[in-house]
Amino acid sequence: MLIVMHSRATEAQIKTVSDVIEDMGYRAEIMPGHQRTAIGLVGNDGRVGDSRIRGLPGVRQVIHVSAPYKQVSLEWQAEPTVITLSNGARIGGQDVAIMGGPCSVESETQLMEAAEAVAKAGGVVLRGGAFKPRTSPYAFQGLGEEGLKLLAKARQRFGLAVITEALDLASADLVAEYADIIQIGARNMQNFSLLRHVGRMNKPVMLKRGMSATVKEWLLAAEYVVNEGNKQVMLCERGIRSFDDSTRNVMDVAAVALVKTLTHLPVIADPSHATGRRDMVTPMARAAVAAGADGLIVETHPRPNEALSDGPQSLYPVQFQAMTQEVTAVAKVIGRGIAALA
Ligand code: PEP
Ligand code: MN
């Protein structure tokens, strides 16, 4: 439930509403706005009666949020959430943010070459996994903290913000020390203790869609993070499983457009994991931007044939450059630009 106060409501009236909410056994979240203050009633799973609130002085309107996710819904907050990164780049605003880099951080040379390519192409965020969720326990598992240190070094050298995956609570603490955005991978989308843990951090989070997750489950997972207090959450569509294995996953472009009608959170698209094929990445990047994605996260590697993970879907640096030019043109058609460093 969202209680919208009159523009002239007093502090005392706002406090009374909060006190009543707490007395009803819920949490009150005060949200000051340009025009007027709103107070969110948090903690209900289902409709709450509003008889004790409706008639209170200063209350203008009571809105019952119909979606099961509350705080991430557009009903709760009409303005888009805009996340400003340490390098000044903004995600979720007017411009589309480009993120790129290798699947895994493999070595200093590899990462610096990739970072240079991303920066040259106009990207603002460098990706690279240090803790890798691999299907086989015998596959390369990532460099761990050593990889995080290399990411931090690349950030210093190229001015890019850094995103990397946290696999569990322990790696989340480490990732938060080094990175600008904590990635929660598809396999962990419903790891509720991990979601709560990063929800208590003051650090942007990118929540990838589980490979078999419905849009509702995905948004409820985001609600876990936001409900702990961390409002800096972005979603990432990375393809879902289907009967058809022609591509690695099925890129759900409709979900990109759909979630923009349901949530104020920024939506990023990952055409690399969605397709698994280098030749499909740029077409799907174009499609995602056309569908309204606020950003792209794309794998690129200086030598994809030598990559320790996801080589077949990694773009050559020249292809990454060409992709950003193409999506710049698509963005322009729908009145958007490409996010730059501030
Ligand atoms: C990744 O981005 O490196 C990754 C493992 O992606 P996903 O969680 O979407 O499979
Ligand atoms: Mn990968």
Side-chain angles (χ1 to χ4, degrees):
M1 188 193 296
L2 194 66
I3 297 109
V4 183
M5 302 299 287
H6 280 291
S7 52
R8 288 184 308 280
T10 64
E11 291 293 321
Q13 289 171 338
I14 292 168
K15 173 143 190 342
T16 303
V17 173
S18 308
D19 289 347
V20 170
I21 290 172
E22 311 259 324
D23 192 55
M24 289 162 71
Y26 302 107
R27 204 173 86 224
E29 175 119 348
I30 299 176
M31 296 179 279
H34 296 305
Q35 300 281 326
R36 51 179 66 87
T37 294
I39 306 168
L41 179 151
V42 184
N44 57 310
D45 185 21
R47 194 181 163 98
V48 173
D50 59 19
S51 55
R52 286 187 62 189
I53 291 168
R54 194 167 278 285
L56 291 174
V59 172
R60 181 173 185 264
Q61 191 189 7
V62 176
I63 299 169
H64 291 275
V65 179
S66 54
Y69 38 85
K70 308 290 175 195
Q71 301 172 63
V72 305
S73 74
L74 263 183
E75 295 166 273
W76 193 270
Q77 180 187 310
E79 315 83 56
T81 287
V82 179
I83 299 170
T84 304
L85 303 177
S86 61
N87 62 358
R90 288 152 55 89
I91 300 181
Q94 179 62 22
D95 297 336
V96 176
I98 309 278
M99 314 187 195
C103 179
S104 302
V105 179
E106 298 168 1
S107 69
E108 177 158 355
T109 315
Q110 171 245 19
L111 189 66
M112 297 305 155
E113 287 179 26
E116 186 175 13
V118 171
K120 263 193 183 156
V124 286
V125 179
L126 174 66
R127 66 149 289 147
F131 299 94
K132 294 303 301 174
R134 302 306 301 279
T135 301
S136 164
Y138 310 120
F140 177 59
Q141 302 287 310
L143 296 181
E145 189 169 6
E146 190 48 43
L148 299 179
K149 288 186 175 153
L150 292 174
L151 285 165
K153 199 165 178 178
R155 170 179 46 211
Q156 267 220 312
R157 194 172 298 176
F158 296 99
L160 299 166
V162 157
I163 181 169
T164 192
E165 178 165 354
L167 270 189
D168 48 29
L169 302 194
S171 57
D173 292 339
L174 268 178
V175 164
E177 268 180 51
Y178 290 93
D180 301 285
I181 308 171
I182 304 168
Q183 174 173 324
I184 303 295
R187 292 154 192 81
N188 264 323
M189 189 203 83
Q190 285 187 313
N191 182 337
F192 299 118
S193 49
L194 182 58
L195 297 177
R196 283 207 183 90
H197 191 68
V198 298
R200 289 183 219 109
M201 294 177 175
N202 181 23
K203 191 61 67 156
V205 170
M206 186 179 83
L207 179 63
K208 299 191 90 173
R209 182 182 183 182
M211 51 191 88
S212 304
T214 64
V215 165
K216 189 162 107 182
E217 288 163 342
W218 187 20
L219 291 171
L220 280 167
E223 186 88 4
Y224 266 88
V225 182
V226 170
N227 190 40
E228 293 296 324
N230 189 349
K231 316 288 182 202
Q232 300 185 89
V233 178
M234 59 194 99
L235 301 163
C236 177
E237 162 60 36
R238 48 76 73 205
I240 50 176
R241 282 268 169 97
S242 93
F243 61 89
D244 190 350
D245 60 3
S246 315
T247 52
R248 181 175 179 180
N249 290 290
V250 174
M251 172 123 170
D252 193 355
V253 185
V256 172
L258 177 64
V259 290
K260 293 297 293 178
T261 71
L262 301 174
T263 180
H264 51 82
L265 300 178
V267 181
I268 311 298
D270 172 352
S272 305
H273 295 89
T275 62
R277 288 176 47 156
R278 188 177 301 128
D279 61 338
M280 298 279 108
V281 170
T282 297
M284 287 300 100
R286 294 192 302 247
V289 170
D294 297 298
L296 295 170
I297 184 161
V298 173
E299 289 184 343
T300 180
H301 192 292
R303 287 164 294 281
N305 50 326
E306 293 173 18
L308 297 181
S309 59
D310 287 349
Q313 68 194 32
S314 298
L315 297 185
Y316 286 89
V318 290
Q319 294 178 308
F320 188 83
Q321 169 90 38
M323 179 212 64
T324 60
Q325 281 168 3
E326 291 185 28
V327 299
T328 302
V330 174
K332 194 167 170 214
V333 172
I334 55 168
R336 302 184 83 171
I338 298 295
L341 307 180

